[in-house]
Amino acid sequence: MGRGHMPIGRRERAKQAKRERITTAARELSAEHGVSGVTTQQIAHRADVANGTLYLYASTKAELLIMVQNEKFAAAIDVGLAAANATVGQGALEPVIALLRPVVECMRNTPRTAAHTCTNSSSATRPSPTGKRV
């Protein structure tokens, strides 16, 4: 093994597996029923975790959506990096466009989810005019 590379322990692997199950459940249920048609309880049930466990990974539905979006954006960035590497030597702008194109497409393909995530994540942290949390 190389220096600085530590094997992942059983506990950490279990955490990663739970996070993946939760993210997959949130992605699938949102695709099936729409973002507003899914509850955190349904996501926990599909992921086969307790509601309390779900909240250890994401304390709000907005955070769950952000987890799903982050997964999609990470995949889009990987595709963009590969495309940018393929344009080396074609000028300064081509690699940037190649990198950004899949990310923009990702945003175009999920505008409702992205807008819902932004709306809910910002409103979850600010009080309403009456002083209550919204």
Side-chain angles (χ1 to χ4, degrees), residues 4-120:
H5 183 271
M6 298 285 294
I8 298 174
R10 184 179 350 161
R11 185 175 182 180
E12 193 59 38
R13 286 192 312 269
K15 284 178 168 181
Q16 287 176 347
K18 281 181 193 172
R19 179 180 297 280
E20 288 172 17
R21 288 197 322 264
I22 290 167
T23 303
T24 299
R27 181 182 59 251
E28 290 173 353
L29 287 167
S30 294
E32 291 170 18
H33 305 287
V35 171
S36 60
V38 179
T39 66
T40 54
Q41 290 80 12
Q42 291 170 314
I43 293 168
H45 180 44
R46 171 88 52 106
D48 194 29
V49 298
N51 290 341
T53 301
L54 176 78
Y55 289 113
L56 292 174
Y57 291 86
S59 61
T60 65
K61 193 160 112 176
E63 284 184 26
L64 285 168
L65 294 172
I66 290 169
M67 286 171 61
V68 170
Q69 283 301 116
N70 284 346
E71 183 181 78
K72 291 178 182 179
F73 282 128
I77 289 169
D78 288 343
V79 169
L81 286 170
N85 287 334
T87 64
V88 171
Q90 296 182 14
L93 191 55
E94 286 75 9
V96 174
I97 292 171
L99 173 64
L100 293 177
R101 184 172 283 127
V103 175
V104 171
E105 285 302 314
C106 181
M107 292 172 71
R108 282 186 183 153
N109 292 335
T110 56
R112 188 176 275 167
T113 303
H116 187 273
T117 301
C118 291
T119 301
N120 283 343

